[in-house]
Amino acid sequence: MAGLAVSEPVIRIAAFLLIFGSLAAFELWSPRLERLEMTGALKTRRWLTNLSMVLISSAILRIVFPAAAVGAAVWAEVNQWGLLRWLGVDGLVAGVLSFVVLDFAVWLEHVASHKIPLLWRIHRMHHADTGFDVTTGLRFHPLEILLSMLWKAAIVVALGAPVLSVLVFEIVLNATSMFNHSNIRLSATTDRTLRRVLVTPDMHRVHHSSERDETDSNYGFNFPFWDRLFGTYVPQPKRGHEAIDIGLTAYRGAGPARLFWGLMLPFRKS
Ligand SMILES: [Zn+2]
Ligand SMILES: [Zn+2]
């Protein structure tokens, strides 16, 4: 399994490019909303910023924490660490359990990012995007990426999560983040069916509404269960998707589409 850690970046980049390319093409072919932010010159500006942000975040992560979550799983395996190992749970059961627990941990982290002022300072950069498309799913401040990786690595070691399940989780999380932010048109039936097991773009768009009660809802990335279970599920935006106001009311104009503005946002007063 240690070999997986070596080829992890290659597998992840290949999966990323395939999914990103497919969703970007789908957005051009059948967009859900046709607004200036998602079609015109502002789209180009936003894409450059959001894609630069993911490059910077990934580079910093590789420098600060090169082993990442998969490396943490390898460490736990080598040192025979983790609750699942001590309880004698292994194989497919351990893999599925780890995936579900990691998804819940990411949901919890997202809730904390909205409730704890210091974390919100960092996370609001994601919400300040005035558009909502595949690149929004990649727009996370480097500090958020680092904190998130530390949190996931701690869960992985505490659980003794299998290396393969951590690798699959990381690829799926990246893929679902791009999917549930994508500006793609899905039929109402497809959305309803998918929503039983997966967070859809219509569900996550509610989370990007500028109405605070809607911003503080639908925290899920992969599974929609946690929001339903803990009462934070809001099925549709009050204004409807066509009229939804995306972004944060405090940050309008060209600022949110600029890279340096986004990088400095956590250090700016609320
Ligand atoms: Zn959020
Ligand atoms: Zn989002």
mmCIF file of all heavy atoms in Angstrom, residues 42 46 49 97 100 112 134 136-137 151 165 220 226 252 260-261 265 270:
data_model
loop_
_atom_site.group_PDB
_atom_site.id
_atom_site.type_symbol
_atom_site.label_atom_id
_atom_site.label_comp_id
_atom_site.label_asym_id
_atom_site.label_seq_id
_atom_site.Cartn_x
_atom_site.Cartn_y
_atom_site.Cartn_z
ATOM 1 N N LEU A 42 -15.974 38.582 -17.088
ATOM 2 C CA LEU A 42 -15.806 38.361 -15.655
ATOM 3 C C LEU A 42 -15.546 36.886 -15.350
ATOM 4 O O LEU A 42 -14.837 36.540 -14.407
ATOM 5 C CB LEU A 42 -17.040 38.874 -14.890
ATOM 6 C CG LEU A 42 -16.961 38.925 -13.365
ATOM 7 C CD1 LEU A 42 -15.713 39.657 -12.899
ATOM 8 C CD2 LEU A 42 -18.211 39.589 -12.787
ATOM 9 N N ARG A 46 -12.542 35.474 -13.132
ATOM 10 C CA ARG A 46 -12.796 34.584 -11.996
ATOM 11 C C ARG A 46 -12.043 33.268 -12.166
ATOM 12 O O ARG A 46 -11.471 32.738 -11.238
ATOM 13 C CB ARG A 46 -14.288 34.280 -11.863
ATOM 14 C CG ARG A 46 -15.158 35.417 -11.328
ATOM 15 C CD ARG A 46 -16.622 34.964 -11.202
ATOM 16 N NE ARG A 46 -16.699 33.633 -10.616
ATOM 17 C CZ ARG A 46 -17.023 32.528 -11.283
ATOM 18 N NH1 ARG A 46 -17.340 32.557 -12.561
ATOM 19 N NH2 ARG A 46 -17.043 31.367 -10.672
ATOM 20 N N THR A 49 -8.389 33.616 -11.413
ATOM 21 C CA THR A 49 -8.178 33.732 -9.968
ATOM 22 C C THR A 49 -8.399 32.395 -9.265
ATOM 23 O O THR A 49 -7.558 31.941 -8.483
ATOM 24 C CB THR A 49 -9.129 34.807 -9.390
ATOM 25 O OG1 THR A 49 -8.688 36.066 -9.871
ATOM 26 C CG2 THR A 49 -9.138 34.809 -7.885
ATOM 27 N N LEU A 97 -16.282 2.291 6.458
ATOM 28 C CA LEU A 97 -16.428 3.066 7.705
ATOM 29 C C LEU A 97 -15.554 4.315 7.688
ATOM 30 O O LEU A 97 -15.992 5.403 8.060
ATOM 31 C CB LEU A 97 -16.037 2.203 8.910
ATOM 32 C CG LEU A 97 -17.149 1.377 9.565
ATOM 33 C CD1 LEU A 97 -16.567 0.495 10.667
ATOM 34 C CD2 LEU A 97 -18.240 2.292 10.139
ATOM 35 N N VAL A 100 -17.034 7.024 5.449
ATOM 36 C CA VAL A 100 -18.201 7.697 6.042
ATOM 37 C C VAL A 100 -17.769 8.626 7.179
ATOM 38 O O VAL A 100 -18.225 9.770 7.265
ATOM 39 C CB VAL A 100 -19.241 6.646 6.526
ATOM 40 C CG1 VAL A 100 -20.383 7.312 7.284
ATOM 41 C CG2 VAL A 100 -19.774 5.848 5.345
ATOM 42 N N ALA A 112 -17.966 24.246 11.495
ATOM 43 C CA ALA A 112 -17.076 25.042 12.355
ATOM 44 C C ALA A 112 -16.562 26.278 11.611
ATOM 45 O O ALA A 112 -16.422 27.353 12.192
ATOM 46 C CB ALA A 112 -15.912 24.182 12.837
ATOM 47 N N VAL A 134 -17.689 25.351 -11.750
ATOM 48 C CA VAL A 134 -16.718 24.302 -11.406
ATOM 49 C C VAL A 134 -15.471 24.860 -10.696
ATOM 50 O O VAL A 134 -14.913 24.221 -9.804
ATOM 51 C CB VAL A 134 -16.376 23.449 -12.656
ATOM 52 C CG1 VAL A 134 -15.745 24.305 -13.746
ATOM 53 C CG2 VAL A 134 -15.477 22.282 -12.330
ATOM 54 N N THR A 136 -15.367 27.416 -8.653
ATOM 55 C CA THR A 136 -15.685 27.803 -7.271
ATOM 56 C C THR A 136 -15.369 26.629 -6.335
ATOM 57 O O THR A 136 -14.940 26.830 -5.195
ATOM 58 C CB THR A 136 -17.171 28.205 -7.140
ATOM 59 O OG1 THR A 136 -17.519 29.081 -8.208
ATOM 60 C CG2 THR A 136 -17.460 28.875 -5.801
ATOM 61 N N GLY A 137 -15.551 25.427 -6.842
ATOM 62 C CA GLY A 137 -15.277 24.219 -6.061
ATOM 63 C C GLY A 137 -13.793 23.998 -5.784
ATOM 64 O O GLY A 137 -13.419 23.062 -5.070
ATOM 65 N N TRP A 151 -6.625 18.377 9.928
ATOM 66 C CA TRP A 151 -7.823 17.784 10.530
ATOM 67 C C TRP A 151 -8.073 16.373 9.960
ATOM 68 O O TRP A 151 -8.274 15.416 10.699
ATOM 69 C CB TRP A 151 -9.018 18.730 10.283
ATOM 70 C CG TRP A 151 -10.377 18.216 10.638
ATOM 71 C CD1 TRP A 151 -11.423 18.060 9.780
ATOM 72 C CD2 TRP A 151 -10.869 17.813 11.933
ATOM 73 N NE1 TRP A 151 -12.527 17.589 10.443
ATOM 74 C CE2 TRP A 151 -12.218 17.428 11.762
ATOM 75 C CE3 TRP A 151 -10.300 17.736 13.203
ATOM 76 C CZ2 TRP A 151 -13.007 16.971 12.820
ATOM 77 C CZ3 TRP A 151 -11.095 17.276 14.262
ATOM 78 C CH2 TRP A 151 -12.426 16.899 14.070
ATOM 79 N N SER A 165 -8.696 3.577 1.110
ATOM 80 C CA SER A 165 -9.939 4.331 1.342
ATOM 81 C C SER A 165 -9.653 5.824 1.471
ATOM 82 O O SER A 165 -10.469 6.648 1.067
ATOM 83 C CB SER A 165 -10.691 3.792 2.561
ATOM 84 O OG SER A 165 -10.150 4.303 3.745
ATOM 85 N N GLY A 220 -22.882 19.874 3.475
ATOM 86 C CA GLY A 220 -22.306 18.629 2.950
ATOM 87 C C GLY A 220 -21.532 18.814 1.657
ATOM 88 O O GLY A 220 -21.806 19.732 0.875
ATOM 89 N N TRP A 226 -25.933 14.231 6.420
ATOM 90 C CA TRP A 226 -25.602 14.939 7.666
ATOM 91 C C TRP A 226 -26.488 16.170 7.838
ATOM 92 O O TRP A 226 -26.941 16.456 8.951
ATOM 93 C CB TRP A 226 -24.117 15.334 7.692
ATOM 94 C CG TRP A 226 -23.207 14.231 7.259
ATOM 95 C CD1 TRP A 226 -22.369 14.221 6.184
ATOM 96 C CD2 TRP A 226 -23.041 12.939 7.880
ATOM 97 N NE1 TRP A 226 -21.712 13.029 6.086
ATOM 98 C CE2 TRP A 226 -22.104 12.218 7.100
ATOM 99 C CE3 TRP A 226 -23.625 12.320 8.989
ATOM 100 C CZ2 TRP A 226 -21.715 10.915 7.413
ATOM 101 C CZ3 TRP A 226 -23.243 11.014 9.298
ATOM 102 C CH2 TRP A 226 -22.304 10.331 8.519
ATOM 103 N N ARG A 252 -18.797 43.120 -2.941
ATOM 104 C CA ARG A 252 -19.307 43.231 -4.311
ATOM 105 C C ARG A 252 -18.234 43.899 -5.163
ATOM 106 O O ARG A 252 -17.170 44.251 -4.685
ATOM 107 C CB ARG A 252 -20.607 44.045 -4.318
ATOM 108 C CG ARG A 252 -21.766 43.323 -3.619
ATOM 109 C CD ARG A 252 -22.028 41.980 -4.263
ATOM 110 N NE ARG A 252 -23.086 41.226 -3.631
ATOM 111 C CZ ARG A 252 -23.248 39.916 -3.804
ATOM 112 N NH1 ARG A 252 -22.419 39.227 -4.567
ATOM 113 N NH2 ARG A 252 -24.219 39.285 -3.209
ATOM 114 N N PHE A 260 -5.064 38.551 -5.489
ATOM 115 C CA PHE A 260 -4.434 39.118 -4.300
ATOM 116 C C PHE A 260 -5.484 39.493 -3.263
ATOM 117 O O PHE A 260 -5.302 39.281 -2.067
ATOM 118 C CB PHE A 260 -3.580 40.338 -4.684
ATOM 119 C CG PHE A 260 -2.742 40.852 -3.545
ATOM 120 C CD1 PHE A 260 -1.691 40.090 -3.034
ATOM 121 C CD2 PHE A 260 -3.012 42.085 -2.962
ATOM 122 C CE1 PHE A 260 -0.928 40.552 -1.966
ATOM 123 C CE2 PHE A 260 -2.252 42.559 -1.895
ATOM 124 C CZ PHE A 260 -1.205 41.786 -1.400
ATOM 125 N N TRP A 261 -6.609 40.015 -3.724
ATOM 126 C CA TRP A 261 -7.730 40.368 -2.854
ATOM 127 C C TRP A 261 -8.161 39.119 -2.065
ATOM 128 O O TRP A 261 -8.349 39.168 -0.854
ATOM 129 C CB TRP A 261 -8.890 40.905 -3.701
ATOM 130 C CG TRP A 261 -10.075 41.393 -2.925
ATOM 131 C CD1 TRP A 261 -10.324 42.677 -2.556
ATOM 132 C CD2 TRP A 261 -11.175 40.611 -2.434
ATOM 133 N NE1 TRP A 261 -11.506 42.739 -1.857
ATOM 134 C CE2 TRP A 261 -12.048 41.493 -1.764
ATOM 135 C CE3 TRP A 261 -11.517 39.265 -2.477
ATOM 136 C CZ2 TRP A 261 -13.227 41.071 -1.151
ATOM 137 C CZ3 TRP A 261 -12.680 38.826 -1.861
ATOM 138 C CH2 TRP A 261 -13.522 39.726 -1.214
ATOM 139 N N LEU A 265 -7.918 38.367 2.047
ATOM 140 C CA LEU A 265 -9.217 38.507 2.724
ATOM 141 C C LEU A 265 -9.220 38.042 4.195
ATOM 142 O O LEU A 265 -9.821 38.710 5.039
ATOM 143 C CB LEU A 265 -10.327 37.799 1.912
ATOM 144 C CG LEU A 265 -11.753 38.048 2.402
ATOM 145 C CD1 LEU A 265 -12.075 39.542 2.415
ATOM 146 C CD2 LEU A 265 -12.766 37.299 1.551
ATOM 147 N N SER A 270 -13.661 42.298 9.371
ATOM 148 C CA SER A 270 -14.982 41.900 8.863
ATOM 149 C C SER A 270 -15.794 43.131 8.496
ATOM 150 O O SER A 270 -15.692 44.144 9.148
ATOM 151 C CB SER A 270 -15.734 41.116 9.930
ATOM 152 O OG SER A 270 -15.014 39.968 10.225
#
